[in-house]
């Protein structure tokens, strides 16, 4: 079973992984090629790169952290996919200093957009890495999830601050530079020339449920995973999700 489906990790990645795997399978059928070229920006130690490589695809991971790339190298070796995963040091804004423009069937941009100075330019950059009819998997911090988390922790002023702040920040001590609504993310994707194929809320409940309950209550993890999957596509829950996932497709990618 792929890495994203490990028990506790699956609460953070299961919804995204299922959407991504389906998108890759559709690209395989559409292109007639069993092995796709996938770019994982900010891919770190390979949480998605390794399972994508296990599907038989070639993955280039771009990350600014040498430590993360070292961990990636070790992890790919342990998973016997080192021949299909390449790690290079770089970031979203300087992307084409290290990778080919227009060279990828799919691009993953997970946990990156929050930290770039210009999110719109960041999305345009990763989209420029796509081949015609390619697909973009975009995962970013959700505004509503942060507001809810601050409020439930009793930090009501910070919750209100995040609600009205242009970048969704709750204060000077907030470690996340940007948070987004589903509408903002879809506008960024469409503004870069892609069609929005799907929007999912990620970690709608997982960050609110006490970990001890999930770890000790028989069947709780599986039931929570099913609940997350059921709520992920419902727009009503996008507004309280910790993260939001948008699948963008270049015109024509959803055909065939």
């Amino acid at each position: 079973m792929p890495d994203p489906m490990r028990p506790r990790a699956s609460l953070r990645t299961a919804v995204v992984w299922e959407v991504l795997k389906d998108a890759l399978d559709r690209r395989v059928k559409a292109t007639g090629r069993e092995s796709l070229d996938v770019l994982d920006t900010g891919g770190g130690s390979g949480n998605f790169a390794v399972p994508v490589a296990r599907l038989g695809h070639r993955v280039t991971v771009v990350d600014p952290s040498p430590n993360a790339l070292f961990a990636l190298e070790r992890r790919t070796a342990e998973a016997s996919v080192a021949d299909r995963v390449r790690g290079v040091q770089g970031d979203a804004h300087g992307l084409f200093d290290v990778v080919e423009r227009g060279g990828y069937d799919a691009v993953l941009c997970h946990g990156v957009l929050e930290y770039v100075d210009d999110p719109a330019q960041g999305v345009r950059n990763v989209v420029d890495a796509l081949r015609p009819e390619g697909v973009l998997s975009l995962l970013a911090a959700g505004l509503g999830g942060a507001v809810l988390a601050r409020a439930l922790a009793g930090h009501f002023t910070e919750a209100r601050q995040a609600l009205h702040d242009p970048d969704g920040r709750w204060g000077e001590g907030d470690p996340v530079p940007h948070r987004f609504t589903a509408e903002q993310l879809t506008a960024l994707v469409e503004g870069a020339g892609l069609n929005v194929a799907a929007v999912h809320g990620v970690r709608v409940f997982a960050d609110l449920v006490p970990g001890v309950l999930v770890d000790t209550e028989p069947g709780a993890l599986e039931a929570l995973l099913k609940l997350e999957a059921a709520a992920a596509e419902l727009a009503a829950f996008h507004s309280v999700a910790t993260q939001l996932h948008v699948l963008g497709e270049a015109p024509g990618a959803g055909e065939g």
Side-chain angles (χ1 to χ4, degrees):
M1 198 168 273
D3 283 16
M5 302 307 289
R6 290 176 302 174
R8 288 308 295 272
S10 63
L11 286 173
R12 295 176 176 268
T13 59
V15 168
V16 178
W17 174 247
E18 290 304 319
V19 175
L20 175 61
K21 184 177 182 299
D22 179 66
L24 293 174
D25 289 346
R26 283 187 281 113
R27 292 312 303 144
V28 165
K29 291 178 181 177
T31 61
R33 291 184 283 111
E34 291 186 1
S35 182
L36 302 176
D37 294 303
V38 179
L39 175 64
D40 187 355
T41 62
S45 59
N47 286 342
F48 281 89
V50 168
V52 167
R54 281 178 173 162
L55 295 177
H57 305 305
R58 297 176 294 273
V59 187
T60 299
V61 176
V62 176
D63 197 282
S65 168
N67 289 338
L69 293 173
F70 178 77
L72 172 70
E73 185 176 348
R74 184 175 65 247
R75 191 169 180 178
T76 56
E78 292 171 353
S80 301
V81 293
D83 59 325
R84 292 196 292 276
V85 179
R86 178 174 71 103
V88 293
Q89 191 172 356
D91 58 36
H93 278 308
L95 194 58
F96 302 114
D97 294 335
V98 293
V99 302
E100 179 187 356
R101 190 183 297 269
Y104 299 89
D105 300 290
V107 173
L108 281 58
C109 184
H110 296 171
V112 172
L113 208 59
E114 299 92 324
Y115 300 98
V116 299
D117 294 334
D118 183 345
Q121 182 59 49
V123 174
R124 288 193 295 270
N125 253 22
V126 294
V127 168
D128 282 347
L130 287 172
R131 288 175 175 151
E133 301 185 2
V135 295
L136 169 68
S137 175
L138 178 65
L139 181 68
L143 169 64
V147 174
L148 187 60
R150 299 316 287 174
L152 291 177
H155 303 300
F156 306 122
T157 300
E158 291 181 350
R160 184 163 54 88
Q161 168 70 18
L163 194 59
H164 296 295
D165 186 82
D167 292 316
R169 290 169 54 81
W170 47 255
E172 289 298 320
D174 192 338
V176 179
H178 304 280
R179 292 189 182 88
F180 306 89
T181 64
E183 292 76 16
Q184 288 170 333
L185 285 181
T186 56
L188 289 172
V189 170
E190 290 172 343
L194 300 186
N195 298 327
V196 173
V199 180
H200 290 82
V202 180
R203 290 155 60 191
V204 174
F205 306 103
D207 291 355
L208 305 177
V209 176
V212 64
L213 188 155
V214 178
D215 292 334
T216 60
E217 187 73 20
L221 177 62
E222 183 180 356
L224 181 54
L225 280 169
K226 290 180 178 178
L227 177 61
E228 288 279 354
E233 291 189 64
L234 301 177
F237 290 100
H238 295 168
S239 60
V240 293
T242 299
Q243 292 178 306
L244 293 163
H245 182 250
V246 177
L247 184 71
E249 296 182 338
E255 300 171 4

